[in-house]
Amino acid sequence: MVLLEVDDLKVHFEIQDGWVKAVDGVSFSIDSGETMGLVGESGCGKTTAAYAITQLLPPNGRIIGGRIFFKEPPRVAAYRKEYDEKLKESPKARQRELSRVKRKLDRVDQAIGGSAPEVEELKDRLAALNYSFDLIGLSKRKDGSLDDYNEEIRKIRWTQISMIFQGAMNAFNPVFKVGDQIVEAITLHEDVEESVARERARELFEFVGIAPDRIDNYPHEFSGGMKQRAMIALALALNPSFIIADEPTTALDVITQDRILAEIKRLQEQLKMAMMIITHDVSVVAEVSDKIGVMYAGLIMEIGQASQVFKNTAHPYTAGLLGSFPSIKGEKRRLVSIPGFPPDLVSPPTGCPFHPRCQYAQKRCREERPEGVTIEPGHVSYCHFANKLWEKLRRTA
Amino acid sequence: MSETNTIVKVRNLKKYFELRKGFLSIGKDITYVKAVDGVDFDMRSGEILGLVGESGCGKTTVGRLLTRLEDPTDGFVFFLGRDIALIEGQDVKVFRRNIQMVFQDPYESLNPRTTVTQTIMEPLLNHHIGESPEERLEMVVQAMEDAGLAPAKEYLNRFPHELSGGQRQRVAIARALAVKPRVIVADEPVSMLDVSIRAGVLNLMLDLREKYGIPYLFITHDIAVARYISDRMAVMYLGRVVELAETDEVISNPKHPYTQALLLAVPVPDPDAKHGRIDIKGEVPSAADIPLGCRFRPRCPKAFKGCGWEARDFIDWLGEKGYLAEDNKLRQAIASFHPDGFVLRMTVNDGADPNAVVDLVKDLVAEGRRAHPLLDSVEVIDTLMTDRVIEIDCRPAPISADALAAELFTLLESTVAYEEPDHPMHGIIADMRLEKNRLIVSVGDDAQNLKLAEAFLEDYIRHHRRRNRPEFKGVKSISASPANMTVTLTCVASKEPAVKTAEDVAAHIEKRLAAEGTGDLAKSTLPIETKKKRVRVRILGPESNWSRLLEALKELVTANRKEDEGFAQRVSRIRIKTVKKPQKTVATKFIRAEEPPLFDVGEGHQVACYLFKGGRLGQPPATERGSGQPWA
């Protein structure tokens, strides 16, 4: 079941020289219980995409377009897609349809009432037309910026969608005890006694493998790995259904990283939690993700199941990324670097943003932004020549 | 020296940083962060040596010591046969030219106000390389093209902010290359770069090695990167190299338990690769408080009896097993625990009987013996009389010219392994012999060699004199004789300071007690301490042990055996001194173990782990092992 659907999300930042097109039309969906890895180099927009989901953009961030649907019932989603197809680019037609459904609902509701299937269907249709499950719609202001303090969003944030922040080293407030910070998160969102919240915090510590009596320690008394575990405990505090982990292991040493990744895997297995892991490290993604999205210059280049992306690579950028990554396993082969460097997102290249660095680039790549090409079920490459290149790019496994 | 292929030789290198804890610590012992604590490795010509380890293991400090950005606390770095700590004056410049560094962060290591040309030109000007500005510019262009900044013209006048991260790192590499160094130390040169750029810089470094044969010390935390770039790999843990071998050997056949754990923890960019896990326990201990014996022991899944278990491990174990709970018999009998290295002193409560406590501890040790190697390494459990100590006062000892020469000879012979092909003095020093108060070093036939040997010996003596052998000021002259092709070191009578004699006496006692077959006496003797010119010895057990030990010590000092000669005149007095009020104390002494050195397991594969003592491949003998292994 789809838990989160991001549809054509565009987030730009206003700076002195113009607009940084950090995320410029990204779509993907995550099922409940699924882990998606979002990989890309620094500045490719992966973190921005995540912050848009939790609606924690910096003040100069603007949502230029797109919607993020969270916990949308499947039928609503189906109706929504149906309407979107039917009423494409005609706000007036949508308005008419909306009032028609509303009237019908009123009528039927009075006639039959209650929770009859017919009423339910109309309610779902209404929700679809209204984009009721769109998070962006809840808090977007006229100028595209987000209202961080929107009540509806605050209800969802952390109780439903929580986050493991980049650099857990600095994510805790150094002057408060770690346990108190978790307790605060719990009591802020739930109407429980502090003692109950403390007990929950102790359980959470135990769950992530820290001795519960460390709850009264300050952040500086924790090692890097322990802080990261405490961060995971904080993210789990309110039993969310979706966790976004932003570079959860980047500043950690390999052995600690390995433990945290094992911890994340355990979360997936025991709590059946959906996750999105954002990282630049292809090997981390390989370790924990079911699904992988490869981002470059604000766009998704390739998306699919982990093994599809790794084994049946169908985008030159993904191939380049994998080819430039050393491994301790397998034959030692010469790494191939991608020529050039990532573009400036104030004025990204026209057409496919990767074309200046792509050895297969042709005229069409400079002019036209590629549509998704489905390689196999669930595996999409945003390359004009994906079908042709696929055979060449897939690595001999 | 051209025939030797060792460019850099690092021996027992140490760097301790003083840890200041504010004014409250005045008068207390200074604690040190032992960032680098006895590192040995060689760098061979044309070879890339990867130095791998987790953050805080001291790898960066090693790089800084090699480039003399830090001065070592102890140990040596020989660069082309010279001890770099002794390079002075004009030679420093030559040294700095020959050993160049590439830093981690290309955003900080380049001056933002100078152009690429100026940045690369600067070392050329500093070292007076190139005859004319035109020639220097040509060198700059050459270095840039070597570093992959082509066409160079396009980049010459750019400022760092006009370059991408990869290009900046290339400028840093070009700057290091421009002066044609003999060695490059690269400290995490790619860790700040984006993945797609990284491979290019790594390949560039490989190509440059191919082209110029410059050896690199490549410092990194990323084992996959080290595997890719290095020919040999040294794995560091908490200030020491624990494993050193050909890179492929380390990757495919790791021997040290730490290396094994490290390799299993590295994620692999392949979703189908299922990797196993050895979860080593806990976290890296603080470098200010390094475990005794093998420093990896507390976390090691394969640790056994002989790894150097210590008192605090025992306390931890007691806690784990619930012996320290309020209602436990042991806890009730003991007022306080005083762990001190391999000895745990336990002060017994007034009401309790020390002998009963001894039995209690003996029982629990016997019970746990098979479950944990720590208990296997308990040597003695006995009462300790805290009111006394045997004090041996030492005095400065005159050392005759002949004896000094003999001592120098022993030192040179044991530390200057000129017969080994990779020793910097190999092929230069041909022979050493002792002639009364003179040490005659003959040199292979080349006038150049004579000079090198002379310089080396001068450095060597000076170095030892400064560090811990003040008596070497008795080395009166070092003279080279071109006629005989010898260097002669002439000694005169000198004096060993009392502090030094005390150390000698302590070492002597330790050695002799163990060798003497005094059995339980040696076993019960606590580790010998020296405090300035005083040696202090204590022993476990009853009064009678003390008198026996005192007799044994007196005999050791006064005996007229050949190997004990001279100790009588180094000791001014031996006595049992009463120090404080007696306290009922029980002590547990553990088998002492030194830090494991690098054991050779064949084909240049070295492992610092007692499992491989004597080059043995495999497991410790069952007798040493305890039962549960790996223990949990």
Side-chain angles (χ1 to χ4, degrees), chain B residues 37 106 113 115 120 231 278-279 325 327 363 374 386 426 428 465 525 570 590 595 603 610 617 619:
Chain B
D37 196 21
R113 290 161 183 256
T115 62
I120 303 173
D231 304 308
I278 299 182
D279 199 15
D327 57 344
D363 282 350
L374 151 75
T386 53
H426 178 77
I428 295 172
R465 209 175 69 206
T525 305
R570 293 186 214 185
F590 294 86
E595 189 85 44
E603 305 195 357
Y610 281 122
L617 294 162
Q619 303 295 314

Side-chain angles (χ1 to χ4, degrees), chain A residues 41-42 223 253-255 257-259 287 310-311 325-330 332-335 337-338 340 357, chain B residues 54-55 194-197 200 203 207 224 227-228 251 262-263 265 267 269-272 275 277 279-280 282-283:
Chain A
E41 298 174 80
S42 50
S223 70
D253 279 317
V254 261
I255 288 177
Q257 163 173 297
D258 188 47
R259 287 183 189 164
E287 194 111 321
F310 274 97
K311 300 280 190 252
F325 215 87
S327 167
I328 62 159
K329 289 267 164 69
K332 195 155 140 181
R333 62 195 159 79
R334 186 159 168 101
L335 299 180
S337 66
I338 306 175
R357 303 174 75 187
Chain B
E54 296 179 272
S55 54
D194 255 325
V195 185
S196 69
I197 307 292
N203 285 339
D207 294 343
R227 182 209 178 186
Y228 181 65
I251 298 292
L262 204 60
L263 284 172
D270 178 354
D272 296 342
H275 75 74
R277 276 198 163 86
D279 199 15
I280 56 176
E283 316 254 345

